[in-house]
Amino acid sequence: MAAEVEAATGRQLTIDGDLSLSIWPTPRLSCSGVRLGNIEGAAGPDMIRLDTARIRIALGPLTQGRIEVDTVELIEPRIELERLADGRTNWSFMPAARQAGANGPASGRSGGFSIPEVKFNDIRVRNGTLVYRDQASGLVEHVSNINATIVAGSLAGPFRAE
């Protein structure tokens, strides 16, 4: 799983805690100590840190080739969004294959990674923190104690949040 995330984003995924996967009666994943690495030059080593993540996928749509995520629970996530002095942003992801070939000849493929259609019925954030840092202006904003419920028809929206 970590290798696929790195191939898709160009970032290292680390799971320092427990990892649990269940298939029956519904596909379910639980993990703790999750970290997604940051870009070079960012203030901290991690863009995202989660105490715990729990994901449950609807079995019916999965048997029909569709991905419908029943619930995602993110406990104590910390997300650090950062604009570096040179204008790069850490929320712009580039697959590792494209990073490696950025200075080389163009490939006939567009990175080899496509994001499937995914529906999210219920995303819950518990005690989250969001940090925005702009190195050029020196601006740093912190928002803490974020508790939210989000529904997304797909990764592109529409979105509803409380």
Side-chain angles (χ1 to χ4, degrees), residues 1-66:
M1 177 170 70
E4 287 83 6
V5 170
E6 186 167 357
T9 66
R11 310 288 177 81
Q12 185 174 6
L13 175 71
T14 305
I15 301 173
D16 293 326
D18 294 332
L19 179 64
S20 158
L21 177 64
S22 173
I23 302 298
W24 191 256
T26 59
R28 197 178 316 206
L29 172 71
S30 177
C31 50
S32 61
V34 179
R35 296 181 290 126
L36 183 66
N38 221 333
I39 60 176
E40 187 174 326
D46 301 317
M47 177 186 176
I48 300 172
R49 286 190 312 250
L50 297 170
D51 180 64
T52 304
R54 295 182 189 117
I55 303 165
R56 191 176 75 212
I57 299 174
L59 188 57
L62 195 58
T63 62
Q64 300 168 4
R66 295 177 300 142

Short mmCIF file of all heavy atoms in Angstrom, two decimals, residues 1-66:
data_model
loop_
_atom_site.label_atom_id
_atom_site.label_comp_id
_atom_site.label_asym_id
_atom_site.label_seq_id
_atom_site.Cartn_x
_atom_site.Cartn_y
_atom_site.Cartn_z
N MET A 1 0.82 -1.19 0.00
CA MET A 1 0.00 0.00 0.00
C MET A 1 0.87 1.26 0.00
O MET A 1 0.59 2.19 -0.73
CB MET A 1 -0.92 -0.01 1.22
CG MET A 1 -1.76 1.23 1.34
SD MET A 1 -3.07 1.21 2.57
CE MET A 1 -2.18 1.25 4.09
N ALA A 2 1.91 1.29 0.82
CA ALA A 2 2.77 2.47 0.89
C ALA A 2 3.44 2.73 -0.45
O ALA A 2 3.58 3.89 -0.87
CB ALA A 2 3.81 2.31 1.99
N ALA A 3 3.84 1.68 -1.14
CA ALA A 3 4.49 1.84 -2.44
C ALA A 3 3.53 2.44 -3.47
O ALA A 3 3.93 3.28 -4.27
CB ALA A 3 5.02 0.50 -2.93
N GLU A 4 2.26 2.03 -3.44
CA GLU A 4 1.27 2.57 -4.37
C GLU A 4 1.00 4.04 -4.09
O GLU A 4 0.86 4.84 -5.01
CB GLU A 4 -0.05 1.77 -4.29
CG GLU A 4 0.02 0.40 -4.91
CD GLU A 4 0.60 -0.65 -3.98
OE1 GLU A 4 0.85 -0.34 -2.79
OE2 GLU A 4 0.82 -1.78 -4.42
N VAL A 5 0.93 4.41 -2.82
CA VAL A 5 0.72 5.82 -2.46
C VAL A 5 1.90 6.65 -2.94
O VAL A 5 1.73 7.72 -3.53
CB VAL A 5 0.50 5.99 -0.94
CG1 VAL A 5 0.53 7.46 -0.54
CG2 VAL A 5 -0.82 5.35 -0.53
N GLU A 6 3.11 6.17 -2.73
CA GLU A 6 4.30 6.91 -3.16
C GLU A 6 4.34 7.03 -4.69
O GLU A 6 4.67 8.08 -5.23
CB GLU A 6 5.57 6.27 -2.64
CG GLU A 6 6.80 7.10 -2.95
CD GLU A 6 8.04 6.69 -2.19
OE1 GLU A 6 7.96 5.77 -1.37
OE2 GLU A 6 9.09 7.31 -2.44
N ALA A 7 3.97 5.95 -5.40
CA ALA A 7 3.96 6.00 -6.86
C ALA A 7 2.93 7.01 -7.37
O ALA A 7 3.17 7.70 -8.36
CB ALA A 7 3.67 4.62 -7.43
N ALA A 8 1.80 7.11 -6.67
CA ALA A 8 0.73 8.01 -7.10
C ALA A 8 0.98 9.46 -6.72
O ALA A 8 0.55 10.37 -7.42
CB ALA A 8 -0.60 7.55 -6.50
N THR A 9 1.66 9.70 -5.60
CA THR A 9 1.78 11.07 -5.08
C THR A 9 3.20 11.61 -5.07
O THR A 9 3.40 12.82 -4.94
CB THR A 9 1.27 11.14 -3.63
OG1 THR A 9 2.13 10.36 -2.79
CG2 THR A 9 -0.17 10.65 -3.52
N GLY A 10 4.17 10.73 -5.12
CA GLY A 10 5.55 11.17 -4.97
C GLY A 10 5.92 11.40 -3.52
O GLY A 10 6.99 11.94 -3.21
N ARG A 11 5.06 10.99 -2.59
CA ARG A 11 5.29 11.18 -1.15
C ARG A 11 5.35 9.84 -0.44
O ARG A 11 4.66 8.89 -0.81
CB ARG A 11 4.17 11.99 -0.51
CG ARG A 11 3.81 13.28 -1.20
CD ARG A 11 4.89 14.36 -1.02
NE ARG A 11 4.51 15.53 -1.76
CZ ARG A 11 3.66 16.44 -1.33
NH1 ARG A 11 3.11 16.32 -0.16
NH2 ARG A 11 3.35 17.46 -2.08
N GLN A 12 6.13 9.80 0.62
CA GLN A 12 6.26 8.58 1.40
C GLN A 12 5.12 8.47 2.41
O GLN A 12 4.83 9.40 3.15
CB GLN A 12 7.59 8.56 2.14
CG GLN A 12 7.82 7.27 2.87
CD GLN A 12 9.22 7.20 3.48
OE1 GLN A 12 9.98 8.15 3.45
NE2 GLN A 12 9.53 6.05 4.04
N LEU A 13 4.47 7.29 2.44
CA LEU A 13 3.44 6.99 3.42
C LEU A 13 4.06 6.06 4.46
O LEU A 13 4.68 5.06 4.11
CB LEU A 13 2.25 6.29 2.77
CG LEU A 13 1.16 5.81 3.73
CD1 LEU A 13 0.40 7.00 4.31
CD2 LEU A 13 0.21 4.86 3.03
N THR A 14 3.90 6.43 5.73
CA THR A 14 4.44 5.62 6.83
C THR A 14 3.32 5.31 7.79
O THR A 14 2.54 6.20 8.15
CB THR A 14 5.56 6.39 7.57
OG1 THR A 14 6.55 6.79 6.62
CG2 THR A 14 6.19 5.54 8.64
N ILE A 15 3.23 4.06 8.21
CA ILE A 15 2.28 3.65 9.24
C ILE A 15 3.09 3.09 10.39
O ILE A 15 3.65 2.01 10.30
CB ILE A 15 1.27 2.61 8.70
CG1 ILE A 15 0.51 3.20 7.52
CG2 ILE A 15 0.32 2.18 9.81
CD1 ILE A 15 -0.40 2.23 6.81
N ASP A 16 3.18 3.88 11.47
CA ASP A 16 4.00 3.51 12.63
C ASP A 16 3.25 2.65 13.65
O ASP A 16 3.85 2.08 14.53
CB ASP A 16 4.52 4.77 13.35
CG ASP A 16 5.50 5.53 12.50
OD1 ASP A 16 6.26 4.91 11.74
OD2 ASP A 16 5.52 6.78 12.60
N GLY A 17 1.93 2.61 13.54
CA GLY A 17 1.12 1.88 14.53
C GLY A 17 0.54 0.61 13.96
O GLY A 17 1.06 0.02 13.01
N ASP A 18 -0.58 0.22 14.53
CA ASP A 18 -1.26 -1.00 14.12
C ASP A 18 -1.98 -0.82 12.79
O ASP A 18 -2.46 0.26 12.47
CB ASP A 18 -2.29 -1.41 15.18
CG ASP A 18 -1.63 -1.81 16.50
OD1 ASP A 18 -0.47 -2.28 16.45
OD2 ASP A 18 -2.26 -1.63 17.55
N LEU A 19 -2.07 -1.92 12.05
CA LEU A 19 -2.79 -1.96 10.79
C LEU A 19 -3.68 -3.18 10.82
O LEU A 19 -3.23 -4.29 11.13
CB LEU A 19 -1.80 -2.06 9.62
CG LEU A 19 -2.39 -2.14 8.23
CD1 LEU A 19 -3.15 -0.88 7.88
CD2 LEU A 19 -1.27 -2.37 7.22
N SER A 20 -4.97 -2.98 10.56
CA SER A 20 -5.93 -4.07 10.64
C SER A 20 -6.82 -4.03 9.41
O SER A 20 -7.32 -2.97 9.03
CB SER A 20 -6.76 -3.91 11.92
OG SER A 20 -7.97 -4.56 11.83
N LEU A 21 -7.01 -5.19 8.76
CA LEU A 21 -7.85 -5.29 7.58
C LEU A 21 -8.84 -6.42 7.79
O LEU A 21 -8.46 -7.51 8.23
CB LEU A 21 -6.99 -5.57 6.34
CG LEU A 21 -7.73 -5.78 5.03
CD1 LEU A 21 -8.46 -4.51 4.62
CD2 LEU A 21 -6.76 -6.20 3.94
N SER A 22 -10.10 -6.16 7.49
CA SER A 22 -11.14 -7.17 7.60
C SER A 22 -11.93 -7.15 6.30
O SER A 22 -12.21 -6.09 5.76
CB SER A 22 -12.06 -6.83 8.79
OG SER A 22 -13.16 -7.70 8.81
N ILE A 23 -12.30 -8.32 5.80
CA ILE A 23 -13.07 -8.40 4.56
C ILE A 23 -14.54 -8.68 4.84
O ILE A 23 -15.41 -8.20 4.14
CB ILE A 23 -12.49 -9.53 3.66
CG1 ILE A 23 -11.03 -9.28 3.35
CG2 ILE A 23 -13.29 -9.66 2.38
CD1 ILE A 23 -10.73 -8.02 2.58
N TRP A 24 -14.83 -9.43 5.89
CA TRP A 24 -16.20 -9.85 6.17
C TRP A 24 -16.68 -9.36 7.50
O TRP A 24 -15.88 -9.39 8.43
CB TRP A 24 -16.27 -11.39 6.10
CG TRP A 24 -17.67 -11.90 6.12
CD1 TRP A 24 -18.30 -12.46 7.18
CD2 TRP A 24 -18.61 -11.88 5.08
NE1 TRP A 24 -19.57 -12.79 6.84
CE2 TRP A 24 -19.80 -12.44 5.54
CE3 TRP A 24 -18.58 -11.40 3.76
CZ2 TRP A 24 -20.93 -12.57 4.77
CZ3 TRP A 24 -19.71 -11.53 2.99
CH2 TRP A 24 -20.86 -12.11 3.50
N PRO A 25 -17.84 -8.87 7.72
CA PRO A 25 -18.95 -8.80 6.78
C PRO A 25 -18.87 -7.61 5.83
O PRO A 25 -19.53 -7.61 4.80
CB PRO A 25 -20.18 -8.68 7.68
CG PRO A 25 -19.68 -8.00 8.91
CD PRO A 25 -18.25 -8.45 9.06
N THR A 26 -18.08 -6.60 6.14
CA THR A 26 -17.85 -5.50 5.19
C THR A 26 -16.36 -5.22 5.16
O THR A 26 -15.68 -5.32 6.19
CB THR A 26 -18.59 -4.21 5.61
OG1 THR A 26 -18.15 -3.81 6.90
CG2 THR A 26 -20.08 -4.38 5.60
N PRO A 27 -15.82 -4.84 3.99
CA PRO A 27 -14.40 -4.50 3.92
C PRO A 27 -14.10 -3.31 4.84
O PRO A 27 -14.79 -2.29 4.80
CB PRO A 27 -14.18 -4.13 2.46
CG PRO A 27 -15.30 -4.82 1.73
CD PRO A 27 -16.46 -4.81 2.68
N ARG A 28 -13.09 -3.47 5.68
CA ARG A 28 -12.78 -2.47 6.70
C ARG A 28 -11.27 -2.40 6.89
O ARG A 28 -10.59 -3.41 6.93
CB ARG A 28 -13.45 -2.94 7.99
CG ARG A 28 -13.61 -1.96 9.04
CD ARG A 28 -14.32 -2.59 10.21
NE ARG A 28 -15.46 -3.40 9.75
CZ ARG A 28 -16.52 -3.66 10.46
NH1 ARG A 28 -16.59 -3.23 11.69
NH2 ARG A 28 -17.51 -4.37 10.01
N LEU A 29 -10.76 -1.17 7.04
CA LEU A 29 -9.34 -0.94 7.29
C LEU A 29 -9.22 0.00 8.47
O LEU A 29 -9.94 1.00 8.55
CB LEU A 29 -8.67 -0.32 6.06
CG LEU A 29 -7.23 0.15 6.23
CD1 LEU A 29 -6.29 -1.05 6.36
CD2 LEU A 29 -6.82 1.01 5.06
N SER A 30 -8.32 -0.31 9.37
CA SER A 30 -8.04 0.57 10.50
C SER A 30 -6.53 0.66 10.65
O SER A 30 -5.83 -0.36 10.54
CB SER A 30 -8.66 -0.01 11.78
OG SER A 30 -8.33 0.80 12.88
N CYS A 31 -6.01 1.86 10.84
CA CYS A 31 -4.57 2.02 11.03
C CYS A 31 -4.30 3.20 11.96
O CYS A 31 -5.11 4.10 12.09
CB CYS A 31 -3.84 2.20 9.69
SG CYS A 31 -4.53 3.43 8.61
N SER A 32 -3.15 3.16 12.60
CA SER A 32 -2.78 4.24 13.52
C SER A 32 -1.34 4.66 13.24
O SER A 32 -0.56 3.90 12.68
CB SER A 32 -2.95 3.79 14.97
OG SER A 32 -2.12 2.70 15.26
N GLY A 33 -1.03 5.88 13.65
CA GLY A 33 0.31 6.40 13.44
C GLY A 33 0.62 6.60 11.97
O GLY A 33 1.70 6.26 11.49
N VAL A 34 -0.30 7.19 11.23
CA VAL A 34 -0.16 7.37 9.78
C VAL A 34 0.47 8.73 9.49
O VAL A 34 0.08 9.74 10.06
CB VAL A 34 -1.54 7.28 9.09
CG1 VAL A 34 -1.41 7.48 7.59
CG2 VAL A 34 -2.22 5.96 9.41
N ARG A 35 1.46 8.72 8.58
CA ARG A 35 2.12 9.97 8.18
C ARG A 35 2.31 9.99 6.67
O ARG A 35 2.68 8.98 6.08
CB ARG A 35 3.47 10.11 8.85
CG ARG A 35 3.40 10.21 10.36
CD ARG A 35 4.76 10.37 11.02
NE ARG A 35 5.54 9.15 10.91
CZ ARG A 35 6.78 9.08 10.39
NH1 ARG A 35 7.38 10.15 9.94
NH2 ARG A 35 7.41 7.93 10.34
N LEU A 36 2.04 11.14 6.04
CA LEU A 36 2.32 11.35 4.63
C LEU A 36 3.39 12.43 4.54
O LEU A 36 3.20 13.53 5.06
CB LEU A 36 1.07 11.77 3.86
CG LEU A 36 1.25 11.96 2.36
CD1 LEU A 36 1.58 10.62 1.68
CD2 LEU A 36 0.02 12.58 1.73
N GLY A 37 4.50 12.09 3.92
CA GLY A 37 5.65 12.99 3.86
C GLY A 37 5.38 14.30 3.15
O GLY A 37 4.45 14.43 2.35
N ASN A 38 6.22 15.26 3.44
CA ASN A 38 6.12 16.59 2.88
C ASN A 38 7.09 16.75 1.71
O ASN A 38 7.91 15.87 1.46
CB ASN A 38 6.44 17.63 3.97
CG ASN A 38 5.51 18.82 3.91
OD1 ASN A 38 4.98 19.15 2.86
ND2 ASN A 38 5.32 19.46 5.04
N ILE A 39 7.03 17.87 1.02
CA ILE A 39 7.97 18.15 -0.06
C ILE A 39 9.28 18.68 0.52
O ILE A 39 9.31 19.20 1.65
CB ILE A 39 7.40 19.16 -1.08
CG1 ILE A 39 7.06 20.50 -0.44
CG2 ILE A 39 6.21 18.57 -1.78
CD1 ILE A 39 6.59 21.57 -1.42
N GLU A 40 10.33 18.56 -0.24
CA GLU A 40 11.62 19.08 0.18
C GLU A 40 11.53 20.59 0.34
O GLU A 40 10.95 21.28 -0.49
CB GLU A 40 12.69 18.72 -0.86
CG GLU A 40 14.08 19.07 -0.42
CD GLU A 40 15.13 18.59 -1.40
OE1 GLU A 40 14.94 17.53 -2.01
OE2 GLU A 40 16.14 19.30 -1.54
N GLY A 41 12.05 21.11 1.45
CA GLY A 41 12.04 22.53 1.72
C GLY A 41 10.91 22.98 2.63
O GLY A 41 10.88 24.13 3.06
N ALA A 42 9.97 22.07 2.93
CA ALA A 42 8.85 22.42 3.81
C ALA A 42 9.34 22.51 5.25
O ALA A 42 10.38 21.96 5.61
CB ALA A 42 7.74 21.38 3.70
N ALA A 43 8.57 23.20 6.09
CA ALA A 43 8.96 23.42 7.48
C ALA A 43 9.03 22.13 8.29
O ALA A 43 9.86 22.00 9.17
CB ALA A 43 7.99 24.40 8.14
N GLY A 44 8.14 21.20 8.01
CA GLY A 44 8.12 19.94 8.77
C GLY A 44 8.24 18.75 7.85
O GLY A 44 8.03 18.85 6.64
N PRO A 45 8.56 17.58 8.42
CA PRO A 45 8.75 16.38 7.59
C PRO A 45 7.45 15.79 7.06
O PRO A 45 7.46 15.08 6.06
CB PRO A 45 9.44 15.41 8.54
CG PRO A 45 8.99 15.83 9.90
CD PRO A 45 8.84 17.33 9.82
N ASP A 46 6.30 16.08 7.71
CA ASP A 46 5.03 15.47 7.32
C ASP A 46 4.02 16.51 6.91
O ASP A 46 3.81 17.51 7.59
CB ASP A 46 4.45 14.67 8.49
CG ASP A 46 5.38 13.57 8.97
OD1 ASP A 46 5.98 12.89 8.12
OD2 ASP A 46 5.52 13.41 10.19
N MET A 47 3.34 16.23 5.80
CA MET A 47 2.22 17.07 5.38
C MET A 47 0.97 16.67 6.15
O MET A 47 0.18 17.52 6.55
CB MET A 47 1.97 16.92 3.89
CG MET A 47 0.78 17.70 3.41
SD MET A 47 0.42 17.34 1.69
CE MET A 47 -1.06 18.31 1.49
N ILE A 48 0.80 15.36 6.37
CA ILE A 48 -0.37 14.85 7.08
C ILE A 48 0.07 13.85 8.13
O ILE A 48 0.92 12.99 7.86
CB ILE A 48 -1.36 14.16 6.11
CG1 ILE A 48 -1.84 15.15 5.05
CG2 ILE A 48 -2.54 13.55 6.87
CD1 ILE A 48 -2.67 14.53 3.95
N ARG A 49 -0.51 13.97 9.33
CA ARG A 49 -0.32 12.99 10.40
C ARG A 49 -1.69 12.65 10.95
O ARG A 49 -2.51 13.55 11.17
CB ARG A 49 0.55 13.55 11.51
CG ARG A 49 2.00 13.65 11.16
CD ARG A 49 2.86 13.99 12.37
NE ARG A 49 2.34 15.09 13.15
CZ ARG A 49 2.90 16.29 13.24
NH1 ARG A 49 4.00 16.55 12.61
NH2 ARG A 49 2.36 17.23 13.98
N LEU A 50 -1.94 11.38 11.19
CA LEU A 50 -3.20 10.93 11.76
C LEU A 50 -2.92 10.04 12.94
O LEU A 50 -2.07 9.16 12.86
CB LEU A 50 -3.99 10.08 10.76
CG LEU A 50 -4.47 10.69 9.47
CD1 LEU A 50 -5.00 9.60 8.56
CD2 LEU A 50 -5.57 11.68 9.76
N ASP A 51 -3.64 10.26 14.03
CA ASP A 51 -3.55 9.33 15.14
C ASP A 51 -4.14 8.00 14.71
O ASP A 51 -3.52 6.95 14.84
CB ASP A 51 -4.28 9.88 16.36
CG ASP A 51 -4.20 8.94 17.53
OD1 ASP A 51 -3.08 8.71 18.02
OD2 ASP A 51 -5.26 8.41 17.93
N THR A 52 -5.38 8.04 14.17
CA THR A 52 -6.06 6.82 13.75
C THR A 52 -6.93 7.12 12.54
O THR A 52 -7.53 8.19 12.45
CB THR A 52 -6.98 6.28 14.88
OG1 THR A 52 -6.19 6.08 16.05
CG2 THR A 52 -7.65 4.97 14.49
N ALA A 53 -7.01 6.17 11.62
CA ALA A 53 -7.93 6.24 10.49
C ALA A 53 -8.70 4.93 10.44
O ALA A 53 -8.11 3.85 10.57
CB ALA A 53 -7.17 6.45 9.19
N ARG A 54 -10.01 5.04 10.27
CA ARG A 54 -10.87 3.86 10.11
C ARG A 54 -11.70 4.06 8.85
O ARG A 54 -12.34 5.10 8.70
CB ARG A 54 -11.79 3.70 11.32
CG ARG A 54 -11.06 3.43 12.60
CD ARG A 54 -12.05 3.22 13.76
NE ARG A 54 -11.32 3.17 15.01
CZ ARG A 54 -11.47 4.04 16.00
NH1 ARG A 54 -12.34 5.02 15.90
NH2 ARG A 54 -10.77 3.92 17.10
N ILE A 55 -11.69 3.05 7.98
CA ILE A 55 -12.39 3.14 6.70
C ILE A 55 -13.24 1.89 6.52
O ILE A 55 -12.75 0.77 6.72
CB ILE A 55 -11.39 3.27 5.54
CG1 ILE A 55 -10.49 4.49 5.76
CG2 ILE A 55 -12.11 3.33 4.20
CD1 ILE A 55 -9.26 4.52 4.89
N ARG A 56 -14.50 2.08 6.12
CA ARG A 56 -15.39 0.95 5.82
C ARG A 56 -15.97 1.15 4.43
O ARG A 56 -16.51 2.22 4.13
CB ARG A 56 -16.50 0.85 6.86
CG ARG A 56 -17.28 -0.46 6.75
CD ARG A 56 -18.31 -0.59 7.83
NE ARG A 56 -19.41 0.30 7.48
CZ ARG A 56 -20.18 0.92 8.37
NH1 ARG A 56 -19.97 0.79 9.65
NH2 ARG A 56 -21.16 1.70 7.97
N ILE A 57 -15.87 0.13 3.59
CA ILE A 57 -16.33 0.20 2.20
C ILE A 57 -17.59 -0.63 2.05
O ILE A 57 -17.69 -1.74 2.58
CB ILE A 57 -15.22 -0.29 1.25
CG1 ILE A 57 -14.00 0.62 1.40
CG2 ILE A 57 -15.71 -0.33 -0.19
CD1 ILE A 57 -12.80 0.18 0.64
N ALA A 58 -18.57 -0.12 1.29
CA ALA A 58 -19.82 -0.84 1.04
C ALA A 58 -19.54 -2.03 0.15
O ALA A 58 -18.93 -1.90 -0.92
CB ALA A 58 -20.84 0.10 0.40
N LEU A 59 -19.96 -3.20 0.57
CA LEU A 59 -19.69 -4.44 -0.16
C LEU A 59 -20.51 -4.55 -1.45
O LEU A 59 -19.98 -4.94 -2.48
CB LEU A 59 -19.96 -5.64 0.74
CG LEU A 59 -19.54 -7.00 0.20
CD1 LEU A 59 -18.06 -7.03 -0.15
CD2 LEU A 59 -19.87 -8.10 1.21
N GLY A 60 -21.78 -4.19 -1.40
CA GLY A 60 -22.65 -4.31 -2.59
C GLY A 60 -22.09 -3.62 -3.82
O GLY A 60 -21.89 -4.26 -4.86
N PRO A 61 -21.84 -2.31 -3.76
CA PRO A 61 -21.28 -1.62 -4.93
C PRO A 61 -19.92 -2.18 -5.36
O PRO A 61 -19.61 -2.21 -6.55
CB PRO A 61 -21.15 -0.17 -4.46
CG PRO A 61 -22.14 -0.03 -3.35
CD PRO A 61 -22.17 -1.38 -2.68
N LEU A 62 -19.13 -2.66 -4.40
CA LEU A 62 -17.81 -3.21 -4.72
C LEU A 62 -17.94 -4.43 -5.63
O LEU A 62 -17.14 -4.62 -6.54
CB LEU A 62 -17.07 -3.55 -3.43
CG LEU A 62 -15.58 -3.80 -3.53
CD1 LEU A 62 -14.86 -2.59 -4.10
CD2 LEU A 62 -15.02 -4.14 -2.15
N THR A 63 -18.97 -5.26 -5.39
CA THR A 63 -19.17 -6.45 -6.22
C THR A 63 -19.58 -6.06 -7.64
O THR A 63 -19.51 -6.89 -8.54
CB THR A 63 -20.25 -7.38 -5.62
OG1 THR A 63 -21.49 -6.70 -5.58
CG2 THR A 63 -19.83 -7.86 -4.23
N GLN A 64 -20.01 -4.81 -7.84
CA GLN A 64 -20.39 -4.31 -9.16
C GLN A 64 -19.30 -3.44 -9.79
O GLN A 64 -19.53 -2.77 -10.77
CB GLN A 64 -21.68 -3.51 -9.05
CG GLN A 64 -22.83 -4.34 -8.51
CD GLN A 64 -24.03 -3.46 -8.14
OE1 GLN A 64 -24.02 -2.26 -8.34
NE2 GLN A 64 -25.04 -4.08 -7.58
N GLY A 65 -18.12 -3.43 -9.15
CA GLY A 65 -16.99 -2.67 -9.70
C GLY A 65 -16.98 -1.20 -9.34
O GLY A 65 -16.22 -0.43 -9.93
N ARG A 66 -17.82 -0.78 -8.41
CA ARG A 66 -17.84 0.61 -7.97
C ARG A 66 -17.29 0.69 -6.56
O ARG A 66 -17.44 -0.24 -5.77
CB ARG A 66 -19.27 1.17 -7.97
CG ARG A 66 -19.87 1.25 -9.35
CD ARG A 66 -21.30 1.74 -9.31
NE ARG A 66 -22.07 0.79 -8.51
CZ ARG A 66 -23.04 1.13 -7.67
NH1 ARG A 66 -23.40 2.37 -7.52
NH2 ARG A 66 -23.68 0.23 -6.96
#
